[in-house]
Amino acid sequence: MYVQHEATFAGYPIVDWERDNAIFNKGTNIALAVRTDWDENENGSGWIGKFNDLLNSPSLEQIPALVIGMWHYEESVKYIVDALVANKARFSNLKALFIGDITSEENEISWIKQDNLSPLWSAFPNLEHLTIRGGDGLELGDLKLPKLKSLRIEAGGLTGEVVRTVGEAALPELESLVLWLGTSGYGATVTIADLQSFYECAGKPKLKYLGLCDSEMADQVAEFIATAPVLQRLDTLDLSLGILTDEGALALLTSPYIRGLKKLDLHFHFCSDGMIKKLEELSQEGIEVDVSDKQRDRDWRFVAVGE
Amino acid sequence: MMHSLVIGSSDDMRVELFQHALAQNGHPPAAIADYRDIIRGDVHLAAMIQPGTLVRIESPGKSEEANQALLALGADEPAEGGDYLRVDTALPQPKGLIAASRQWYLGLRAFMRRVAEQLNESPPHRLMNHPDDILLMFDKRVCHAFLEVQGISVPPALPCVHSFDELEAAMQARGVRRVFVKLAHGSSASGVVAYQTNGTEHRATAAVEMAAEGGKVQLFNTRRVQTYTSHAEIARLVDTLCQHRVHVEQWIPKARMGDKIFDLRVVVIGGEPAHTLARLSHNPMTNLHLLNERRDRQTVIEHMGKDNFARAMALCAQTMAHFPNSLYAGIDLLVAPGFRKHYVIEMNAFGDLLHDTLFDGLDTYALEIQRATCG
C-alpha cells in the first residue's frame, strides 16, 4: 500500500528539489517536493537544512504547489510549519500543500508525527488543495480556508477531534473531502458521534466527493451515511479500504439516496460474492460501482492501511 | 574439448544448468565431486583434475545430504567467536526449519579448507571461484567490514550484538530506529528481519514463522511474510536468530518501481557487470523465491536512467575487483529513492542462478564458461 510517492499533486507534476535549480528552467507550474533521504538525514542537515538551501532559489514565488516529504525522525513538523510560515512571502503563489508524502518504506504511516498545523491556514489563506498524511499528533485548530477545493487526510487512525473539526468547518468552496478514519490500534478515536456533521455537511455547499475510508467501522459508517441527506448532493461516495461487510453494503443498497450517485467506490472490502453481484447491478441504474480488491475471509480482518 | 569438474550435488538444478551450458559450447559434461564424498574422504580432487581442468565450486544447494554433512562437519569444529546454537545432525530436521547457520558455516569452512588443500595438490587447473572468497561472502559481518575498508558503498553496520537487548542498546546509542537483522551466514532472506521502532512501538517484518516446541523457539522459513508488533515476540525472534550469529545494518529505504520497492541482483562475470534483474516487493523482503516479481535489465535502465544505472554497474565492478581470484558473484544492490545513491547489501558466492535471463544472448553459466576459457 502507498509504497510510492505520488507522481502528481493537485494536477501538477511532482518534481523533487535536489539542490539543482535547473528544474525551474522547464517551468514553474509544478508541485515542488522537498524530501530528505536516509543519507541527508544521517549525514546532512535534514529537512530544515534542505529547505533553507531551497530558499536561495529563484522562482519560488511562482510555485503553485509544495510537497513536504520525508523529514528526519528527530525533526518536528512544528519546525517545518514555523519555517513555512516564516517564509510565506516567498511562496506567495501557493495554492496546494501536501504535508507528509512519505512511503511506508520510509516510515510507517501511523508513526509519522504530525503537529498543530493551524498556523499554516492564516499564512496561506489561498490554499485550494490540502493533503495531510499522518494522524498521530495532528491538530487542525480553526480550519479556516475559504478557497479550499479539496481536503484529504490519510492516516492509520484519526482522532475524534480532527474528524469533528473537519466536519464542522465551513469550507464554502470544498468539492472533495477524503478522510482515512483508521483503526483504534493505530490511533483512531473517531466514533459515529464524531461524524454527525457529515450527515448534512452543512458548511460545504459545493461538496461532490465524500470519502470516509480505511475504516475499522466501515459497516457503521455505511449505515450512518446511507440515510444522510448529503448523498443527494454528492457525485461520489467513497467507503473504500475499510472493513465493509455485507452488513454495511446492505445498508447502502437500501439507502433512499444511493441512486442519485454517479459513483460508489467500495474497493478493498469484505463483502460476499453474492453481495458484490447485487452492488454491481447498481451500474444498470447508471451508477459506476467499484467493488474490486475483495479481501479473503480470515480469522482476523484488517483495514488496508493501519501501519 | 575442455575437461571440467564441478564440486556440488549431482541432482542439483545449478549443476544441470552448468552441464547444459558446457554441452552448448561443445564441451563434454563435467565430472562431479559430491560434497558428501569429499567430506567422507571417498574422493580426492587431485584424482579428478587434469592439467587445464575448469573447476567450479557450486553451492550444496537444496541437497539435504550435503547440508546435513556440512552441519555434521561443523559440529566438530571449535566454536570460536563464542558459542552458538547447535543441532544434533543425527536427528531429522522438520521441513523449513531455519538451518543452524553458524554450525553450517563452520562446516562449510572446514569443507573449503579441505577443497583448497586438495586443489593445491592437483595439477594446474582453472578455478572459477576461490574457496577463500566463497567463505568471505558467506560471512556477512566480515564481508561487510572488508568492503567498507575498501571504500565500497555499504549501509552502515551496527556493532556485533548477541541479543535483542544488545540490539536495542546499540540502536539507542546511535539514534538508529530502523535496521535489517540478518543471519551472518544465511542466504536468500532466510532469517532476515526488518525491524523498526519509534521508541514506544515496535515492528518486525520477516519471512519467518515462530513456533514453540518443547519450550524452545523454532524458526521456520515461510513464503508468507509475517509482521510482528509485540516487543516480547520480536525479542524472542531476534534472540533466537542471535544464537546463530547476526549481522545488523541500518535500514536504508529503497527506491520504487510502480507501487513496489525494488533492489537489484547484478551478476558480475569476468570483472564486468552482466545479468541484471530488479526484484520487486510490497514488503521489505525482495528475494525472488518469495514469489516476488522481477523486471529485466532494460526496464531497470529506463527506470533509473542511463547515467544512474551506469554508476550502479561501476560500483558492482569496483566491488568485484576486490575479489581477483573469483570469476563471478551475484551482488545485491540497494538503490535509494532518486536512483543516484547505491549500496552493496550482499555478496552471493553462488548468486548466478537467474532463471530465464540472458546477457548478450548467453545465460550466466555460458558467459562464465566463455570468460573462463577465452578470458
Side-chain angles (χ1 to χ4, degrees):
Chain A
M1 276 263 36
Y2 75 104
V3 180
Q4 61 181 343
H5 295 136
E6 311 301 318
T8 66
F9 171 57
Y12 303 102
I14 295 182
V15 179
D16 285 21
W17 187 74
E18 295 299 346
R19 296 192 162 80
D20 176 12
N21 291 329
I23 57 168
F24 297 122
N25 296 338
K26 299 196 190 141
T28 52
N29 229 23
I30 58 176
L32 190 64
V34 182
R35 52 178 122 252
T36 48
D37 64 20
W38 173 88
D39 187 27
E40 286 166 314
N41 285 330
E42 189 79 6
N43 305 314
S45 48
W47 195 95
I48 293 289
K50 196 163 188 174
F51 181 73
N52 284 334
D53 290 343
L54 171 68
L55 293 174
N56 294 324
S57 306
S59 317
L60 297 181
E61 289 77 2
Q62 293 155 46
I63 299 293
L66 197 59
V67 173
I68 296 163
M70 185 69 187
W71 54 86
H72 197 355
Y73 307 118
E74 288 163 21
E75 289 176 302
S76 169
V77 158
K78 182 184 177 324
Y79 299 130
I80 295 177
V81 169
D82 288 348
L84 287 170
V85 169
N87 292 284
K88 64 185 184 189
R90 296 299 311 282
F91 297 96
S92 47
N93 193 35
L94 199 68
K95 297 195 188 62
L97 184 61
F98 184 164
I99 306 174
D101 180 21
I102 293 169
T103 67
S104 53
E105 173 69 354
E106 292 167 308
N107 198 9
E108 296 301 329
I109 192 174
S110 59
W111 293 8
I112 298 172
K113 280 217 93 52
Q114 286 290 355
D115 206 277
N116 188 330
L117 302 182
S118 58
L120 291 170
W121 320 148
S122 37
F124 302 101
N126 297 325
L127 279 181
E128 294 175 15
H129 303 280
L130 177 63
T131 296
I132 300 165
R133 185 174 289 160
D136 186 19
L138 179 64
E139 286 173 38
L140 299 174
D142 183 12
L143 197 58
K144 210 152 79 186
L145 286 166
K147 300 205 180 149
L148 198 67
K149 290 194 190 139
S150 78
L151 173 60
R152 182 181 181 89
I153 308 181
E154 296 175 1
L158 288 179
T159 60
E161 202 187 316
V162 162
V163 173
R164 235 178 297 120
T165 300
V166 173
E168 290 162 11
L171 297 166
E173 296 296 321
L174 197 71
E175 295 166 12
S176 171
L177 173 59
V178 175
L179 299 179
W180 287 12
L181 303 180
T183 52
S184 45
Y186 291 103
T189 58
V190 54
T191 64
I192 295 296
D194 299 313
L195 288 172
Q196 289 306 305
S197 48
F198 289 81
Y199 210 62
E200 301 257 11
C201 284
K204 305 169 181 67
K206 293 196 179 172
L207 195 66
K208 290 275 161 234
Y209 188 118
L210 176 62
L212 299 171
C213 310
D214 192 55
S215 179
E216 186 179 47
M217 54 177 194
D219 282 343
Q220 289 178 51
V221 173
E223 280 165 25
F224 166 75
I225 211 75
T227 57
V230 69
L231 289 190
Q232 295 176 287
R233 301 195 261 128
L234 296 181
D235 285 345
T236 305
L237 176 66
D238 179 356
L239 299 183
S240 62
L241 305 178
I243 305 183
L244 183 77
T245 70
D246 285 1
E247 208 182 304
L250 188 60
L252 293 172
L253 275 172
T254 53
S255 155
Y257 304 125
I258 211 77
R259 279 149 186 83
L261 292 175
K262 293 209 179 101
K263 180 164 177 183
L264 181 61
D265 189 347
L266 304 177
H267 79 269
F268 186 107
H269 60 84
F270 293 82
C271 297
S272 66
D273 288 339
M275 183 57 72
I276 292 171
K277 259 219 189 83
K278 289 213 193 86
L279 288 166
E280 282 170 336
E281 281 163 17
L282 286 173
S283 58
Q284 289 161 23
E285 301 180 52
I287 306 165
E288 189 192 326
V289 180
D290 185 350
V291 277
S292 60
D293 205 4
K294 171 194 154 108
Q295 299 303 299
R296 308 257 160 268
D297 279 328
R298 282 179 220 208
D299 291 340
W300 49 276
R301 290 169 176 179
F302 53 93
V303 297
V305 176
E307 309 84 25
Chain B
M1 287 274 284
M2 176 183 66
H3 182 248
S4 314
L5 170 67
V6 172
I7 297 162
S9 308
S10 42
D11 54 356
D12 192 65
M13 176 171 42
R14 297 159 188 268
V15 175
E16 270 176 44
L17 290 168
F18 186 72
Q19 299 287 43
H20 179 77
L22 281 172
Q24 289 231 294
N25 278 275
H27 301 298
I32 298 172
D34 202 276
Y35 268 69
R36 256 186 326 162
D37 291 339
I38 296 172
I39 291 172
R40 280 198 296 238
D42 288 348
V43 300
H44 193 295
L45 295 177
M48 303 180 80
I49 294 175
Q50 305 161 9
T53 297
L54 181 67
V55 179
R56 175 187 180 84
I57 304 175
E58 185 52 271
S59 161
K62 292 195 174 66
S63 160
E64 253 188 69
E65 294 93 358
N67 286 298
Q68 283 290 90
L70 288 172
L71 280 170
L73 206 57
D76 294 334
E77 290 289 297
E80 47 151 277
D83 206 7
Y84 60 89
L85 185 73
R86 292 164 185 273
V87 289
D88 182 347
T89 51
L91 295 177
Q93 305 290 308
K95 179 177 173 192
L97 187 74
I98 288 186
S101 54
R102 179 65 180 162
Q103 183 170 337
W104 182 90
Y105 177 78
L106 292 175
L108 186 75
R109 203 177 60 174
F111 178 79
M112 289 298 164
R113 231 183 291 136
R114 183 178 300 192
V115 165
E117 276 165 21
Q118 294 188 7
L119 288 177
N120 260 342
E121 295 162 12
S122 300
H125 52 275
R126 273 174 293 202
L127 179 61
M128 291 175 94
N129 277 6
H130 198 284
D132 288 351
D133 290 343
I134 295 170
L135 286 175
L136 181 67
M137 294 183 201
F138 264 99
D139 189 335
K140 288 191 175 56
R141 279 187 189 173
V142 175
C143 188
H144 179 280
F146 172 71
L147 292 177
E148 203 173 39
V149 153
Q150 307 298 335
I152 299 292
S153 168
V154 288
L158 266 62
C160 296
V161 297
H162 310 89
S163 67
F164 184 68
D165 279 349
E166 282 185 25
L167 175 62
E168 279 191 310
M171 287 170 74
Q172 275 161 32
R174 282 157 187 76
V176 168
R177 294 191 184 192
R178 308 168 99 228
V179 291
F180 265 87
V181 179
K182 310 180 191 185
L183 289 173
H185 309 299
S187 60
S188 57
S190 178
V192 174
V193 180
Y195 167 63
Q196 57 185 316
T197 179
N198 64 1
T200 42
E201 292 158 80
H202 309 267
R203 215 174 131 73
T205 305
V208 175
E209 269 175 32
M210 284 204 289
E213 181 69 32
K216 257 185 15 190
V217 177
Q218 281 193 323
L219 304 182
F220 292 85
N221 292 312
T222 172
R223 287 224 160 91
R224 256 187 346 149
V225 174
Q226 312 277 311
T227 300
Y228 300 90
T229 53
S230 135
H231 184 268
E233 254 195 329
I234 296 172
R236 250 196 314 273
L237 172 62
V238 174
D239 281 341
T240 308
L241 289 172
C242 281
Q243 293 178 313
H244 303 297
R245 261 196 186 202
V246 298
H247 169 66
V248 184
E249 289 175 355
Q250 287 198 39
W251 175 348
I252 299 178
K254 293 177 175 161
R256 301 152 322 284
M257 203 181 275
D259 65 344
K260 301 197 166 131
I261 57 169
F262 77 95
D263 60 20
L264 300 181
R265 163 63 63 91
V266 181
V267 184
V268 181
I269 301 175
E272 284 174 40
H275 305 74
T276 301
L277 288 178
R279 310 175 310 181
L280 277 55
S281 179
H282 278 303
N283 60 61
M285 321 277 126
T286 51
N287 303 72
L288 290 172
H289 78 288
L290 295 177
L291 309 178
N292 284 319
E293 284 178 51
R294 50 183 247 179
R295 295 287 182 271
D296 66 19
R297 186 172 181 273
Q298 192 49 40
T299 305
V300 175
I301 295 173
E302 282 163 18
H303 188 68
M304 285 177 65
K306 279 216 268 280
D307 289 342
N308 289 328
F309 182 80
R311 281 185 305 104
M313 294 303 107
L315 174 60
C316 292
Q318 189 194 1
T319 303
M320 205 53 204
H322 294 292
F323 299 90
N325 297 320
S326 287
L327 179 68
Y328 64 88
I331 299 180
D332 290 347
L333 201 70
L334 187 155
V335 178
F339 314 125
R340 290 176 334 275
K341 298 177 191 172
H342 320 113
Y343 306 82
V344 173
I345 42 180
E346 195 167 322
M347 299 284 301
N348 297 281
F350 306 126
D352 59 342
L353 175 60
L354 263 61
H355 289 297
D356 194 26
T357 306
L358 303 181
F359 183 79
D360 284 350
L362 302 173
D363 70 11
T364 50
Y365 306 100
L367 189 56
E368 287 160 13
I369 291 166
Q370 202 180 79
R371 294 273 157 84
T373 51
C374 316

